[in-house]
Amino acid sequence: MGDASFRRRDSEDVSDGGPLAGIAVIDLSTTLPGALATQFLADAGADVLCVEPPGGSPLRSRPGWPALGRGKRSVVLDMHAESDRKVIDRLVAGADVAVTTMRPAAAAHLGLTPESLAAVNPRLVSAAITGWGSSGPWTHLKGYEGLVMAKLGMFHVKRNIVGRPGPAFVAAPYASWGAAQTAVHGILAALLERESSGRGQHVEADLVRGVSTLDTWNWFTELVGIRWPGSFNVVDAYTDDGQPQSPMALGLLAALTKDGRWLQFAQAGQGLFRALMEELGLGWRYDDPRWKSLPALETQELRTEHWKTMLDKVGERTYAEWKQVFESNPDVNAEAYRTASEVFDHPQLRHDGRVGVVDDRDLGPVRQLTSLVHSDDRPLTPLRPAPRLDEHGEAARAATAVPPTPPAAGAVPVRLPLDGVTVVEFALMYAGPYGATLLTDLGARVIKVESLDGDPIRRAVAFPEAGGAKAMLGKESICLDLRTEEGRRIAHELVRRSDVVLQSFRAGAAERIGVDEATLRALNPDLVYLNAAGYGTDGPYGHRPAYAASIGAASGFALAEAPYVTEVSGDPEEVSASVPRLYAAAARASLQSDGVSALGVASAMLLGLVARARRCPLGALTTTMLATAAHPLADWNVDYADRPPLPAVDAEGYGHSALYRLYRAADGWVFLAAPAADEWSPLAEALAAEVPLADDSRFVSAGQRAVHDTELAEVLSRVFTRLPAADWEARLTAADVGCVAVTEQAPERLVQTDPSLAAEYATTVVSPVFDEHLRLAPTVQFSRSATRALGACLAGDHTDSILRELGYDRHAIAGLRERGVVG
């Protein structure tokens, strides 16, 4: 792109600069979700121009800025100045995508509504990322991540990561990641649709819908508890005093080694759990009537006794000895708990080339992750430094106006953006399959190929199908034995007729059953092929099982959530108190690495489709759970000299500071979010009747407030106990101060039982197990394209209909079933 213009290039002009080369992006965002979304686009080759306010974007103060800003350009413009607004209009006229993260009222005030942007450029894909969405009962609230997490009940979900009673502040940016990736889904889907329609449109994503995607199965276990309260009880993985209550808690054991290193095991499947029992010398218990139901033991006494025995057995070996086990036994795996900065030393990430160094002119060498998606085992584009402030300002301000390409004449029918796209899924459990589920909401046909027994996630929780229902939404299922020649022949015929193949098996498995990239590309050269394994397609960990808990430990997510959780000694009482905290930090089903990774899977498939439509198809694409889980943690893991410190979280898990933390109220808890300097005066005025903050010399400036932060927290703690939480939310929200009453129930139950929330964030579908029920609504909203929400399927529900589509008659189908080829 030349220096004198900001000009879009159509697909005919695409160079070798990445799959999105020639896509011009105006980044008007100033918060983390926008930065993460445009980082993905820049890594894919888009020309991202950051429009920064005078003084620079607040994103520049984040420790992760060198990665968040990498490969982008910078111009300083004052949106309130008429001359600069004209420059913005010229830039928008030549852009393909514009991204904002401001509240809807602020966007309207600045003339950045979807309608005004479309008037400047009808081909523009404008994307707005907000806290709560543009409608619904919560739109009046400020969009801070902490407010969203508190109001949804996410801090309640994580309450076991602190030793005190009450909700726990979660530092890791789950909601920002969810909103960023769902925005990417909308942007890529809209760009793909534009290839045929010639028209842009508006895309909306938000933190509520984004973070809600991360839940694996709590939605459906809560649904069961709501619908049949007398027959199924929803329980936490651990009791309040730290004892395991579920089989999953035993399979995902967190334990100390002999030399004091925490390990997080990944033995959730029946076969994997038995392999661990054999390794621990406990295999004999399967033949003992007292233990034969392992791991689903019937009493709390048995569960606790077996759990303590497992802890003791793990503690008999050193970390080095356990590493030898993991290297020799492919069915036993555990990850050491790492801080986020230690993730760069993970052998698999280094093997995969997912750690790189870029030379920054001001900071020196900066170590960071490479692009989330790799193509043919290489990053999509080389690492490039973040821009200096206004580095490209002169050229951007001098950019000539680009007359927008007029849209095609005539009305464009309302369609699903992925209408006509077929995905064949060879994937197990959650991260890969739910990534494909997200594409069904956008119109893709997803055919899930399952074994004759079905995906094990269908049996992951006690109630039939509840564990897998979310990952099955909108899909068609065919059960095939891919170990047979006939089963592979059917799978290959499906692939010939498809657009995308997703596989998430351990290294080597796809080749053994004939669904590897080389085999399938020979059948369908135009195929978008995605490997979405836990660790990778080869390498030192490629053969190992991966689950959310172990990936959370390895990626640094678990300890980023709760940095005050540190390693403890081998004292039994300390172990008993710490294990549930470590487990909850890594693997609570509402917030964990499976959901984080699933969003990256969907982004990768959509990127492949856009690249193919723009006639720059990619090689074999790869995402991994491990690498994707590390990507949201740029503020924790980007490494360079003199990097600024992260905001600290207090030892009791209340929050970052007196102005961004949890407080007890008269009848519950509130979360206060007023960290910006211009939010102090409204807060002080709103609390003037209770305490004279404005006149207190300790708090007269931001600097003074930082020095006296502990004292300010003590003052506010006394104030907030005087009124109920709902009253504080009403009073401070009216003063435009961020404050919400903390929800103390599971978010999945909250949305299903509150009619106003269900109307905004959920929709009604029908499924074979749950009949008519609520599910989450599609995560992205479009101004012109449609979305859809479908129910889940059972294993093999569509075997016969798919076979008939392939030309098999009923006699042939019966023969396949008799021979055990299909189910």
Side-chain angles (χ1 to χ4, degrees):
M1 185 168 300
D3 289 340
S5 66
F6 191 67
R7 182 178 296 276
R8 179 181 59 245
R9 284 191 293 178
D10 295 326
S11 52
E12 294 86 353
D13 308 315
V14 172
S15 66
D16 295 327
L20 297 186
I23 294 292
V25 180
I26 298 289
D27 186 355
L28 297 161
S29 66
T30 57
T31 60
L32 183 59
L36 288 168
T38 57
Q39 179 201 54
F40 182 95
L41 301 177
D43 283 351
D47 186 353
V48 177
L49 179 65
C50 297
V51 177
E52 304 189 61
S57 169
L59 290 163
R60 287 183 175 272
S61 65
R62 304 186 75 104
W65 166 251
L68 296 172
R70 68 188 184 200
K72 302 176 183 178
R73 300 194 297 147
S74 169
V75 59
V76 172
L77 295 170
D78 185 349
M79 293 189 192
H80 300 277
E82 184 177 352
S83 59
D84 284 0
R85 278 308 313 272
K86 291 179 179 178
V87 175
I88 292 174
D89 286 346
R90 290 200 303 272
L91 296 172
V92 167
D96 298 277
V97 178
V99 179
T100 66
T101 54
M102 60 192 72
R103 297 162 78 181
H109 176 71
L110 292 170
L112 295 174
T113 62
E115 296 78 14
S116 61
L117 292 171
V120 174
N121 182 355
R123 285 177 52 88
L124 183 75
V125 174
S126 60
I129 307 174
T130 62
W132 313 91
S134 59
S135 60
W138 287 340
T139 54
H140 62 294
L141 300 173
K142 285 197 166 182
Y144 284 108
E145 170 141 345
L147 297 177
V148 171
M149 297 282 279
K151 195 68 173 170
L152 271 179
M154 298 297 185
F155 290 167
H156 168 76
V157 162
K158 291 287 187 174
R159 63 194 179 280
N160 284 339
I161 63 176
V162 293
R164 59 167 175 79
F169 175 74
V170 175
Y174 281 112
S176 290
W177 178 254
Q181 290 302 305
T182 52
V184 167
H185 302 166
I187 291 167
L188 294 175
L191 288 173
L192 184 65
E193 191 276 342
R194 193 184 71 172
E195 289 290 322
S196 59
S197 73
R199 301 193 183 198
Q201 59 182 309
H202 184 62
V203 175
E204 290 187 12
D206 60 76
L207 273 68
V208 173
R209 290 174 176 85
V211 75
S212 296
T213 63
L214 305 185
D215 161 52
T216 50
W217 51 63
N218 277 5
W219 181 279
F220 283 92
T221 56
E222 293 291 348
L223 170 62
V224 172
I226 293 167
R227 184 166 291 182
W228 298 291
S231 60
F232 187 83
N233 294 320
V234 180
V235 298
D236 286 332
Y238 286 89
T239 64
D240 289 341
D241 59 354
Q243 299 177 29
Q245 297 189 101
S246 74
M248 191 72 74
L250 295 175
L252 301 178
L253 178 75
L256 278 171
T257 65
K258 185 177 182 178
D259 50 350
R261 190 75 187 262
W262 274 103
L263 294 180
Q264 176 62 64
F265 283 85
Q267 310 298 130
Q270 285 281 356
L272 297 175
F273 185 77
R274 183 153 193 157
L276 177 59
M277 292 303 95
E278 298 290 348
E279 186 63 46
L280 294 176
L282 298 173
W284 60 268
R285 288 192 169 182
Y286 284 95
D287 299 320
D288 186 321
R290 186 170 184 242
W291 303 104
K292 65 180 180 180
S293 61
L294 274 170
L297 298 169
E298 297 175 357
T299 68
Q300 188 59 52
E301 180 183 9
L302 286 175
R303 289 190 289 269
T304 299
E305 182 180 344
H306 186 72
W307 173 62
K308 289 184 175 180
T309 301
M310 292 175 69
L311 291 176
D312 291 341
K313 291 289 187 179
V314 172
E316 291 174 358
R317 306 185 202 184
T318 65
Y319 178 48
E321 290 170 330
W322 275 112
K323 286 176 68 176
Q324 291 179 350
V325 171
F326 307 146
E327 291 168 1
S328 60
N329 188 338
D331 291 328
V332 177
N333 187 41
E335 288 279 9
Y337 277 84
R338 296 171 183 261
T339 64
S341 60
E342 293 171 336
V343 74
F344 292 142
D345 298 322
H346 195 287
Q348 186 67 37
L349 289 185
R350 299 183 73 85
H351 169 83
D352 289 342
R354 290 186 175 272
V355 180
V357 176
V358 62
D359 287 322
D360 187 283
R361 291 162 293 179
D362 301 316
L363 303 175
V366 179
R367 192 165 61 149
Q368 55 189 277
L369 294 168
T370 58
S371 61
L372 186 149
V373 182
H374 277 201
S375 175
D376 286 340
D377 298 324
R378 296 189 301 274
L380 294 174
T381 55
L383 286 176
R384 294 165 290 167
R388 290 171 168 166
L389 182 62
D390 203 40
E391 182 177 348
H392 308 91
E394 183 178 355
R397 283 185 287 271
T400 57
V402 178
T405 303
V412 176
V414 175
R415 299 171 61 244
L416 295 157
L418 299 189
D419 185 33
V421 171
T422 298
V423 179
V424 178
E425 174 193 312
F426 303 99
L428 298 175
M429 294 301 285
Y430 189 78
Y434 189 62
T437 293
L438 290 166
L439 268 59
T440 70
D441 289 356
L442 302 176
R445 181 192 189 190
V446 177
I447 300 173
K448 182 175 180 64
V449 178
E450 305 188 58
S451 70
L452 301 189
D453 294 329
D455 190 324
I457 198 173
R458 295 180 180 275
R459 303 178 293 278
V461 300
F463 193 93
E465 296 292 331
K470 191 177 179 190
M472 306 300 165
L473 294 171
K475 296 180 181 177
E476 302 173 38
S477 170
I478 180 172
C479 287
L480 296 178
D481 186 348
L482 294 175
R483 297 169 299 178
T484 67
E485 184 177 345
E486 288 178 294
R488 289 193 295 273
R489 187 183 305 124
I490 293 167
H492 290 171
E493 187 56 38
L494 287 174
V495 169
R496 284 190 183 94
R497 302 165 182 235
S498 68
D499 301 280
V500 181
V501 162
L502 164 67
Q503 81 85 16
S504 70
F505 302 133
R506 288 194 248 173
E511 288 80 3
R512 288 193 296 272
I513 58 176
V515 297
D516 56 289
E517 187 252 353
T519 298
L520 300 188
R521 276 275 174 82
L523 301 171
N524 184 348
D526 293 330
L527 196 65
V528 174
Y529 188 95
L530 175 63
N531 297 296
Y535 287 104
T537 57
D538 59 10
Y541 283 59
H543 65 285
R544 299 190 187 187
Y547 285 88
S550 56
I551 295 297
S555 65
F557 234 113
L559 296 184
E561 285 185 344
Y564 39 79
V565 176
T566 56
E567 297 186 7
V568 299
S569 71
D571 180 80
E573 291 187 5
E574 287 189 279
V575 170
S576 179
S578 299
V579 165
R581 295 166 66 190
L582 288 167
Y583 173 84
R588 185 62 164 87
S590 290
L591 293 172
Q592 37 84 307
S593 297
D594 260 341
V596 169
S597 303
L599 294 171
V601 169
S603 295
M605 288 189 287
L606 285 162
L607 181 65
L609 287 167
V610 172
R612 188 181 69 168
R614 304 183 73 236
R615 293 187 286 283
C616 53
L618 297 164
L621 302 179
T622 303
T623 62
T624 69
M625 286 182 65
L626 176 62
T628 302
H631 264 268
L633 302 177
D635 281 335
W636 283 258
N637 60 34
V638 174
D639 183 30
Y640 53 97
D642 300 323
R643 57 167 279 157
L646 273 167
V649 179
D650 66 280
E652 293 199 321
Y654 290 117
H656 282 318
S657 69
L659 298 177
Y660 198 82
R661 58 160 277 175
L662 292 155
Y663 287 99
R664 289 183 182 272
D667 66 345
W669 296 77
V670 296
F671 188 82
L672 174 68
D678 61 0
E679 293 172 315
W680 172 253
S681 292
L683 174 65
E685 185 176 345
L687 298 181
E690 279 76 23
V691 59
L693 291 174
D695 300 327
D696 194 317
S697 61
R698 296 171 296 176
F699 313 136
V700 294
S701 67
Q704 282 290 93
R705 291 191 289 275
V707 170
H708 298 284
D709 185 77
T710 300
E711 296 158 76
L712 178 56
E714 291 172 354
V715 170
L716 293 175
S717 293
R718 292 192 294 270
V719 170
F720 280 118
T721 58
R722 298 175 189 172
L723 292 175
D727 290 0
W728 285 121
E729 178 181 315
R731 182 196 291 194
L732 294 183
T733 299
D736 201 31
V737 173
C739 180
V740 298
V742 178
T743 296
E744 296 189 69
Q745 62 174 307
E748 300 82 17
R749 177 173 288 265
L750 171 68
V751 175
Q752 292 185 71
T753 56
D754 185 317
S756 64
L757 298 180
E760 176 64 20
Y761 300 115
T763 189
T764 300
V765 297
V766 177
S767 75
V769 173
F770 303 103
D771 300 320
E772 185 176 281
H773 66 89
L774 288 172
R775 57 153 280 189
L776 282 173
T779 59
V780 185
Q781 300 177 77
F782 299 88
S783 61
R784 187 167 49 74
S785 291
T787 58
R788 67 181 182 184
L790 302 173
C793 63
L794 298 177
D797 258 358
H798 305 88
T799 297
D800 287 8
S801 61
I802 292 171
L803 290 172
R804 286 195 296 270
E805 186 179 335
L806 298 181
Y808 292 83
D809 61 24
R810 62 186 181 88
H811 298 293
I813 295 171
L816 291 169
R817 190 164 276 114
E818 287 174 6
R819 295 191 297 277
V821 176
V822 305

